[in-house]
Amino acid sequence: MNDKFVLPDAVEIDRENAAVVILDQTLLPCEEKYESLTGIEELVDAIKKLKVRGAPAIGVAAAAGLAACTKRKVLEGTDRTGLSGWFDYCSESLKSSRPTAVNLAWAVDRMKNLFDSLLADGKEPVRIAEMLFDEAENIKNEDICMCRAIAANGLPLISKKGCGILTHCNAGHLAVSRFGTALSPIYLAHESGLEPKVYADETRPLLQGARLTAYELSKAGVDVTLICDNMAASLMASGKIDMVMAGCDRIALNGDVANKIGTLQVAILADYFGIPFYVLGPSSTFDAGTASGKDIKIEQRPAEEITTMHYSKRLAPDGIKVFNPAFDVTPASLITGYVTEKGYFASADGLVESVRKGR
Ligand code: MRU
């Protein structure tokens, strides 16, 4: 895949101005607006509001944010003890901003381990800040390489010309550092002339499929058709879907996968219709510390996302009770295979083994 993608990156690291620059995804597809974030509260707010979103992208934003916030504190003249307390505070604020996607905690822990070791080595604060920026850039570049490898490892699944692929939420360029996870083999198939036909679930309630997947795929010239979430069964019954490709926010040790709410029902439908259901993601989404899907903390979101947001006026009765989990868990038994940067795995055991070997 070309290094220069059709869209700018969702997260840019601005070392010179000690900032993280994000494309505000809440405004898409109507407005392409970039925001330069310099403070921890701003960054946490942007992650909570999904201005920056997608498991790998929030990890990169958090890593860059930790570097930027540290540099700013150093320039204010904060001493080593103050710096240490500040770093802990920022790390905890970031980790608790979105609890389900493990990439966020993974990236924060990686930055924290580096920060602690540099401090213990007696490195100068100015140097520590620069080395944190180096690490944030490493995390982003590694993510780009992983997405490239996921594209190559997922491409053989899209063997025939004009394959019908259903995807849920947005696991594309906007959700990662570049290219995507579930969408990266689709971009590669498109580049290779395989003319994939993508069907994007709109993904209620925040419409990542309608606003983001439809936007980025159509911008790249990929054939994409938008459907409401409740049309997936009828579409599958029509024979137009050859496979499902979905992203992931956390993969547990037994292969259960947390992903955007609605993924589970797509997996159940795919099983019913005998359609392969693939999960694609980087190894950083695998969490050896989580035994099964039952142990994954599911983020609950505000009721307004269902009753009011995206409507010109409130649609549901005042005070109505609302259930709004951001993610659900698809059991390993419904997953045909996993694609990571390390290869294709038909079972969770193969995936676990590949991650263990890589460490
Ligand atoms: O709430 P979001 O929009 O951050 O949820 C995103 C998803 O569920 C994606 O499928 C997942 O993070 C994988 S992104 C490559």
Side-chain angles (χ1 to χ4, degrees):
M1 264 185 302
N2 288 332
D3 222 10
K4 273 273 154 243
F5 194 65
V6 64
L7 285 161
D9 294 350
V11 182
E12 291 286 4
I13 301 170
D14 183 356
R15 185 189 285 253
E16 206 180 310
N17 298 303
V20 190
V21 180
I22 58 153
L23 173 60
D24 182 347
Q25 298 191 32
T26 61
L27 302 177
L28 289 173
C30 302
E31 202 181 334
E32 284 177 18
K33 188 174 161 222
Y34 287 85
E35 213 174 305
S36 177
L37 309 173
T38 53
I40 188 66
E41 316 300 347
E42 267 184 307
L43 176 59
V44 166
D45 187 60
I47 292 174
K48 281 187 178 161
K49 288 188 175 143
L50 274 59
K51 288 182 174 184
V52 57
R53 43 131 322 264
I58 54 178
V60 173
L66 283 170
C69 291
T70 304
K71 185 164 176 176
R72 284 177 179 268
K73 273 285 167 199
V74 170
L75 294 176
E76 283 170 15
T78 310
D79 66 12
R80 300 170 76 82
T81 316
L83 215 51
S84 177
W86 169 245
F87 201 95
D88 286 350
Y89 166 73
C90 293
S91 300
E92 284 317 308
S93 307
L94 285 165
K95 271 180 156 183
S96 58
S97 62
R98 295 203 75 190
T100 305
V102 74
N103 310 61
L104 176 62
W106 170 87
V108 169
D109 287 343
R110 183 164 153 176
M111 296 296 282
K112 170 107 177 80
N113 289 341
L114 176 68
F115 175 83
D116 288 345
S117 72
L118 294 174
L119 209 61
D121 281 356
K123 286 263 185 312
E124 280 305 309
V126 179
R127 184 78 196 111
I128 292 178
E130 291 310 322
M131 290 178 82
L132 289 173
F133 268 109
D134 292 343
E135 190 69 345
E137 282 166 4
N138 289 340
I139 290 175
K140 180 172 174 179
N141 289 331
E142 286 166 22
D143 187 42
I144 294 172
C145 291
M146 287 195 276
C147 288
R148 231 179 233 294
I150 290 168
N153 294 333
L155 183 66
L157 302 171
I158 311 174
S159 47
K160 73 167 193 196
K161 200 162 181 169
C163 228
I165 305 169
L166 179 69
T167 190
H168 191 72
C169 191
N170 173 264
H173 177 77
L174 293 166
V176 300
S177 297
R178 206 168 295 159
F179 312 124
T181 55
L183 298 193
S184 65
I186 294 174
Y187 284 123
L188 195 53
H190 171 68
E191 268 184 35
S192 317
L194 284 166
E195 298 173 16
K197 298 202 178 316
V198 182
Y199 292 85
D201 275 348
E202 66 173 351
T203 317
R204 286 275 290 150
L206 292 181
L207 307 175
Q208 288 92 333
R211 295 186 304 102
L212 310 175
T213 297
Y215 164 79
E216 64 163 87
L217 286 176
S218 56
K219 205 154 177 174
V222 178
D223 182 332
V224 55
T225 303
L226 180 63
I227 63 162
C228 297
D229 298 340
N230 54 4
M231 295 167 190
S234 142
L235 187 65
M236 286 181 181
S238 77
K240 288 194 173 132
I241 300 299
D242 295 296
M243 71 189 72
V244 178
M245 287 190 154
C248 44
D249 284 83
R250 190 182 294 241
I251 306 178
L253 202 52
N254 70 344
D256 292 351
V257 166
N259 192 48
K260 178 52 52 193
I261 190 74
T263 305
L264 172 60
Q265 67 198 34
V266 177
I268 292 169
L269 289 175
D271 184 54
Y272 178 84
F273 286 105
I275 294 169
F277 182 95
Y278 300 116
V279 168
L280 301 92
S283 296
S284 52
T285 309
F286 178 79
D287 181 13
T290 297
S292 80
K294 286 203 290 290
D295 307 302
I296 299 175
K297 181 169 181 197
I298 300 293
E299 174 188 354
Q300 300 293 322
R301 306 273 312 169
E304 292 68 39
E305 290 180 352
I306 294 180
T307 57
T308 317
M309 213 172 165
H310 300 301
Y311 296 117
S312 54
K313 59 177 188 208
R314 188 182 168 90
L315 206 80
D318 278 336
I320 194 76
K321 285 193 285 181
V322 167
F323 174 59
N324 187 16
F327 302 95
D328 57 26
V329 174
T330 300
S333 58
L334 293 178
I335 298 168
T336 311
Y338 306 81
V339 181
T340 75
E341 77 281 7
K342 296 175 196 294
Y344 172 78
F345 305 98
S347 74
D349 292 348
L351 174 70
V352 172
E353 192 50 32
S354 79
V355 176
R356 285 225 167 102
K357 271 193 201 144
R359 280 189 181 147

